[in-house]
Amino acid sequence: MNPIIRRSQIACMNMHYKRYSLDYFLNSVQRIGYESVAFWGGPPHFSLDSAGYEDTKALRKKFVKHGLSCTCFTAPALLPPNQFAIDMHEHIEDTYRYFANGVRAASELGATVMIANSGYGLKTCSREDAWARSRDMLRRISEFAVDYDVTLTVESLRPAETNLVVTLEDTRRMFDEVNHPNFKVMIDTTAIGVSGESVWDWFEVFGNEIKNTHFIDGTPFGHLAWGDGSYPLDDMLRCFNHYNYKGPLGLEITAGQYLNDPSAASLKAFRNLIRYAGD
């Protein structure tokens, strides 16, 4: 089989290791053979808030020691008040500082990409008002990110997670309205599956504006390790190859079934993807 992705694109996330230490996660992915991580900056592995964040120099040294690069960074973004469509006016500036600190942390860890989403609006408020708050915050953070050489990549979410950016059309509207060179698009395979969309649909619309992925197997409603779901891996990778996609393939494995043995899930996903990879 001719290689159609690079090994370094296969980026393990750490969310399914949340019952284990940071060192356990790093030792696990190094032993399996990963070269990169898509780092989720939440507890117990990292501390981030509006006032500051954990020592990134020490963390980056750990990445290097384990032969890993950090291809993208996530500031946890769906728990109030830290969500992009925040409607608690007294917390808006704190939320801005929180995501700005996420950009700083990403840059200091060597990541050029920070993952974003639309946040959500409360059921008791106007969707358009929530949309405007999300758009304005995303634009502010994109502008802030310029000086740090970091790009925000926005993913769609499932209807259970948001009432804002759910579909490809929602994503195109938000992308057009933010309209900033440091604001790009990412594919979350679970979210697009829920919406009945395909990676081909997304690349047809966005092309090389797609700079990142949450690349997981599953049913449309699950975040599963590759090999445990029903997604058409061959076809999806053919699409990435067709459009010359070179960004991260972030393994956002979050299903509860993996929490007691996250290394087994990471190994299974890696083995199913590495056969498509070259150096």
Side-chain angles (χ1 to χ4, degrees), residues 12 20 60 66 75 79 97 125 156 176 186 192 202 272 279:
C12 193
Y20 291 82
R60 190 166 183 176
H66 289 83
L79 292 176
R97 286 189 289 269
C125 77
S156 60
D176 289 344
M186 70 177 286
I192 72 170
W202 277 62
N272 278 302
D279 293 334

Side-chain angles (χ1 to χ4, degrees), residues 31-253:
R31 184 173 60 252
I32 290 168
Y34 287 93
E35 294 181 354
S36 63
V37 294
F39 193 70
W40 181 76
H45 300 153
F46 195 76
S47 177
L48 169 72
D49 59 29
S50 63
Y53 48 91
E54 204 166 317
D55 182 4
T56 51
K57 290 182 180 178
L59 178 54
R60 190 166 183 176
K61 285 180 180 177
K62 286 191 173 188
F63 289 156
V64 172
K65 177 183 176 182
H66 289 83
L68 299 165
S69 63
C70 181
T71 61
C72 59
F73 178 82
T74 301
L78 282 177
L79 292 176
N82 299 318
Q83 60 106 348
F84 286 98
I86 178 72
D87 69 343
M88 302 161 65
H89 293 286
E90 67 273 25
H91 292 296
I92 287 177
E93 291 309 308
D94 272 350
T95 299
Y96 172 78
R97 286 189 289 269
Y98 169 80
F99 288 118
N101 280 339
V103 169
R104 292 188 182 99
S107 177
E108 291 167 12
L109 291 172
T112 58
V113 168
M114 187 174 88
I115 294 172
N117 57 57
S118 62
Y120 58 91
L122 299 180
K123 300 291 188 182
T124 51
C125 77
S126 159
R127 180 176 184 267
E128 287 303 307
D129 287 346
W131 182 280
R133 288 193 299 272
S134 174
R135 177 198 62 221
D136 293 347
M137 183 67 75
L138 289 166
R139 186 184 293 140
R140 285 183 72 188
I141 299 300
S142 297
E143 182 61 33
F144 178 83
V146 171
D147 289 339
Y148 293 87
D149 294 322
V150 170
T151 296
L152 269 65
T153 57
V154 66
E155 62 176 335
S156 60
L157 298 172
R158 294 172 290 178
E161 298 169 301
T162 186
N163 54 355
L164 299 178
V165 174
V166 174
T167 66
L168 189 158
E169 288 303 315
D170 293 335
T171 308
R172 180 160 60 179
R173 178 188 170 192
M174 186 63 79
F175 179 74
D176 289 344
E177 291 188 15
V178 172
N179 189 27
H180 193 281
N182 282 61
F183 185 75
K184 301 297 183 182
V185 175
M186 70 177 286
I187 290 171
D188 182 295
T189 54
T190 294
I192 72 170
V194 170
S195 294
E197 301 158 354
S198 74
V199 293
W200 292 96
D201 297 331
W202 277 62
F203 274 99
E204 183 177 355
V205 171
F206 290 112
N208 63 9
E209 301 291 355
I210 297 172
K211 302 297 184 184
N212 198 6
T213 61
H214 277 157
F215 192 59
I216 51 272
D217 200 356
T219 65
F221 298 91
H223 290 70
L224 303 182
W226 282 105
D228 286 347
S230 58
Y231 283 177
L233 179 58
D234 289 352
D235 181 67
M236 295 166 89
L237 290 178
R238 275 200 304 274
C239 176
F240 291 155
N241 188 51
H242 176 79
Y243 283 95
N244 198 33
Y245 174 76
K246 301 299 183 186
L249 300 169
L251 304 182
E252 191 193 30
I253 302 168

